[in-house]
Amino acid sequence: TREKYKKNPSLRFALLDIEKDPAAQGFGEHEFDVVVACNVLHATGDLDATMRNVSRLLRPAGMLVLCEVTRPQSWIEFCYGLMPGWYRFSDRLRCNSPLLADGDWKKLLATHGFEDVTAFPEAGSPAVILGEHCIVGRAPSAARASGDDSCTASVLEGLPEDAVPVIEGANRTPDSQVETFLQRLR
C-alpha cells in the first residue's frame, strides 16, 4: 500500500498502538482529518480508553470511519476465539465477546462526544444479516479535554443492576464489592 500511494504527500504511513497515548508515539494532538479503523478497535482491552485515544488523533469535526463485526457468529468464535488475546478485554462494555453491536458502538461514540453518528447498513436492511457495520461519526466540534472519565458512567446507564464488572482481565469482584463499584460509577 505504501508503494502504491507514495506519490500522495497527504498520506502518512506509521505504526500506531491505539491502546497507548498517540502523542508518545509521535502523533500530534488533533492532527488527523479522518481515522479509518477496520476490525481493530474491538481488539483493544478497554474501549473507553481506546476511544479517548482516537479522539486525541482527530481534529475538531474530523471523521471516524469504523468498520466492525457487530454480531457474534459461531464461525468467528471458532476461528478467533481460540487465539490468545481474543478475550483479553477488561472493560465493562463487553461480557462474553470482544464484539459490540452496532447500537452499542453508536452509543459509545456518542458518549465520547462524536456527533452525527450513524451505522450502515441501517436497521431493516437485508444487509444486516452479514453482521458487519460501518459506523461513521464526526469528532466534537471543539476538542474535548483529555482525561474525561465521565464517558464510562454514561455508557453504563441501562445496564442491569447485577451486571458484574470485569476488573483486570477475567477476575471478578465479590458481590459486596460489585454493588459498591456500581454505586461509585453511578
Side-chain angles (χ1 to χ4, degrees):
T1 303
R2 183 184 309 231
E3 189 63 28
K4 181 177 180 180
Y5 295 105
K6 69 182 179 183
K7 293 181 182 177
N8 189 332
S10 64
L11 294 180
R12 176 179 174 183
F13 295 89
L15 292 177
L16 169 69
D17 182 345
I18 198 62
E19 293 185 278
K20 296 177 182 170
D21 179 11
Q25 299 175 69
F27 295 89
E29 193 91 0
H30 307 294
E31 74 173 346
F32 293 92
D33 296 316
V34 179
V35 169
V36 178
C38 295
N39 281 317
V40 294
L41 297 188
H42 76 267
T44 62
D46 182 343
L47 284 174
D48 207 34
T50 296
M51 290 310 303
R52 282 194 297 273
N53 286 337
V54 169
S55 294
R56 288 181 182 125
L57 291 170
L58 284 168
R59 287 191 174 135
M63 297 299 293
L64 171 62
V65 180
L66 171 65
C67 299
E68 286 281 348
V69 173
T70 53
R71 188 181 70 196
Q73 298 176 30
S74 58
W75 71 268
I76 291 174
E77 290 291 325
F78 181 73
C79 293
Y80 299 108
L82 301 175
M83 295 176 70
W86 179 253
Y87 294 102
R88 75 176 193 81
F89 54 90
S90 61
D91 56 48
R92 292 257 355 270
L93 303 174
R94 301 170 285 181
C95 295
N96 298 319
S97 171
L99 305 175
L100 284 182
D102 60 308
D104 294 330
W105 277 112
K106 288 166 55 176
K107 185 175 180 182
L108 178 62
L109 268 62
T111 62
H112 282 272
F114 281 81
E115 303 163 353
D116 303 323
V117 178
T118 191
F120 303 98
E122 295 174 330
S125 167
V128 170
I129 197 168
L130 298 173
E132 294 193 36
H133 280 81
C134 180
I135 298 113
V136 180
R138 191 167 36 87
S141 300
R144 293 180 81 154
S146 61
D148 180 2
D149 292 328
S150 66
C151 296
T152 299
S154 63
V155 170
L156 293 173
E157 287 178 17
L159 281 179
E161 289 292 323
D162 61 346
V164 179
V166 177
I167 308 293
E168 301 201 80
N171 299 332
R172 298 196 185 271
T173 62
D175 287 342
S176 62
Q177 291 177 338
V178 170
E179 188 56 37
T180 303
F181 180 78
L182 292 173
Q183 286 174 353
R184 282 192 356 220
L185 283 175
R186 285 189 182 89

